[in-house]
Every structure is written in C-alpha cells, then in structure tokens.
Amino acid sequence: MSASIDQEDALVTSTDPLHPANLISELCASFYRLGWVTGTGGGICIRTDDKVYIAPSGVQKERIEPSHIFVLPYPQAEPSPHTDRIFLRRPKLNLKESACTPLFWNAFTVRNAGSCIHTHSQNAVMATLLWEKEKMFKISHQVKMIKGVRIGGNGPTLSYLDTLEVPIINNTPNEEDLKDSMKEAMEQYPRAAGILVLRHGIYVWGDDWQKAKTQTECLDYLLEIGVKMKLAGLPTVLNE
C-alpha cells in the first residue's frame, strides 16, 4: 500500500516548474490576483497525453499546492454527476475534484483542447447581463487583443476585421449540470473560443495551458472593453 501511495504522489511531485501540478498551483494564485477565482470559485485543468491534472473544488485557489491536485486518466467515459470517475491519484486530504470536471471534458472531446480555464471574472458576468437578450457577445475592430483569440479556440487567430462571437448559455444551480448546454453551444458555434455562462463566468480552452491562458486574458480584455463601450452607448461591432 505504501509503495502504491508513493507512486500516486509521484504523479504530482516534481522540481520542474512546468510540471502540470506546479503550473496549476502557480496559475490559480495568478488568477486569484486578477479577481478571476476568488471565494474558491473557478478552476483550471491541464491535459498531457494520457493524463488530466485538475484543481480541487471549494478551496482557496491562491493557496493550492501540488499535493492537492487530482490526476485522471485520459481518455475515459465523459464524467458527469451521475457516473463514477476513474482516478490515477487523489489528494490525501479530504478534497473533491473541481465541479468543472465534466465541462473541462467538453473542451477535450469537442475541441481536442490541452487545457481549459474557468473564471468568475466580473467582466464576463457583466457581458452576459448586457448581451443576455442576444445570447451572444460580439465585438469587432480591436487592434491587438482580438489577435490573441483563435477560431474555435485552437484554429487560426482572428484579425482586426473579424467579429468575435462568444455564445451565452443559461446558468444552472449546480455547475456539473452545465455540461450538456455547454457542449451544445460548442457544437452549434464551432468558431467560438469560449462559452459565457449567464450571471456566472466563462470557460476558455486552448491547445495547451499557454494558449488557454493567453486566450483567457485576451477575451477578458475584450469583454471589459465591450462592456465599457456598451455602457457608453458605443457600438461594439462596426459595419453591422
């Protein structure tokens, strides 16, 4: 048993700062400082070949340690609140894997992503309220930040002349129950680089953690400027 536990802990123990367990801890602290994952909310996962590393749920995100990380094999049956999940490693502490896990799996299966980030950014929440009727956030002619967003999240980058569109889905009382509506929106809008959740936040993915992080930062900037433009009575899309 001792050897088995040691082998499991080896999955999250490394001096390499780019090891997924170390990265998740570092990135969660960074996202906390941005106000994206306060109050234990939000999350991130990183997929490397046949393993998925996921942050725990309901913990202070700025204080996550590598030993708190869950490791799941990939592929496996899509996780849901009603199916058992297979783990390669669970933390020794009494922690639960991120409630976002089934939604992270959407990014893997629908977009073949290598990482997915979920934030409770106020910019995202405000955008869902201001574009609630349209069910789609739209913005165009943004010189720099729009170039950091990829079509579908992992395709070619958008250009200054492109219109960014991010679908908005309705929220649910339990995070896991967003799985199906998120998947439907991803399939209905294959060019979307993220999914906004009404009065909740946003999910963003990428080929790897660097691209997912860059894309989340760029989208958050565009959401913020879009909200400010709309509140100022300025059109967020030109030539429409």
Side-chain angles (χ1 to χ4, degrees):
M1 178 65 72
S2 177
S4 175
I5 292 175
D6 291 343
Q7 187 175 8
E8 290 179 3
D9 285 348
L11 293 172
V12 296
T13 305
S14 174
T15 58
D16 182 359
L18 296 181
H19 186 281
N22 295 331
L23 278 171
I24 287 176
S25 302
E26 176 189 345
L27 291 172
C28 281
S30 175
F31 296 162
Y32 173 83
R33 291 190 289 271
L34 291 172
W36 289 356
V37 295
T38 54
T40 78
I44 180 175
C45 69
I46 296 175
R47 177 168 69 92
T48 58
D49 298 324
D50 60 348
K51 297 181 183 65
V52 176
Y53 297 79
I54 294 181
S57 179
V59 301
Q60 307 298 321
K61 291 298 189 291
E62 77 279 17
R63 298 179 64 84
I64 287 178
E65 299 177 6
S67 61
H68 299 160
I69 304 302
F70 289 81
V71 185
L72 291 77
Y74 185 87
Q76 64 170 282
E78 295 183 23
S80 78
H82 313 294
T83 61
D84 293 330
R85 299 170 193 171
I86 302 170
F87 292 88
L88 297 175
R89 194 257 177 194
R90 292 176 180 265
K92 294 177 182 177
L93 297 177
N94 185 25
L95 299 175
K96 185 180 185 299
E97 73 275 16
S98 175
C100 307
T101 299
L103 291 88
F104 289 155
W105 235 259
N106 283 337
F108 302 151
T109 58
V110 181
R111 292 287 198 273
N112 194 31
S115 180
C116 187
I117 296 169
H118 174 47
T119 85
H120 291 173
S121 162
Q122 291 188 25
N123 298 323
V125 175
M126 280 298 298
T128 68
L129 296 172
L130 292 172
W131 277 269
E132 180 177 0
K133 182 178 179 181
E134 298 89 340
K135 293 295 183 185
M136 182 74 71
F137 170 82
K138 293 184 180 182
I139 194 167
S140 71
H141 293 79
Q142 297 297 318
V143 180
K144 288 295 182 183
M145 290 302 187
I146 204 166
K147 295 180 180 179
V149 180
R150 295 178 177 272
I151 297 172
N154 49 12
T157 57
L158 295 175
S159 75
Y160 171 71
L161 297 176
D162 288 322
T163 297
L164 169 70
E165 297 185 349
V166 185
I168 301 169
I169 62 174
N170 289 326
N171 198 12
T172 57
N174 297 310
E175 189 99 28
E176 295 96 333
D177 293 331
L178 290 167
K179 175 180 178 289
D180 291 342
S181 58
M182 175 185 172
K183 185 175 183 179
E184 289 172 7
M186 293 174 72
E187 292 173 342
Q188 184 176 356
Y189 302 101
R191 293 174 60 89
I195 300 293
L196 286 159
V197 183
L198 184 64
R199 300 175 180 267
H200 184 145
I202 189 169
Y203 281 85
V204 186
W205 53 85
D207 283 336
D208 51 38
W209 71 268
Q210 294 100 323
K211 291 184 174 66
K213 174 178 177 289
T214 297
Q215 210 149 226
T216 305
E217 292 167 346
C218 291
L219 283 170
D220 196 69
Y221 173 95
L222 293 165
L223 291 166
E224 180 178 11
I225 198 69
V227 166
K228 290 178 177 178
M229 290 172 70
K230 190 157 182 105
L231 292 176
L234 300 171
T236 57
V237 179
L238 299 182
N239 306 321
E240 186 178 51

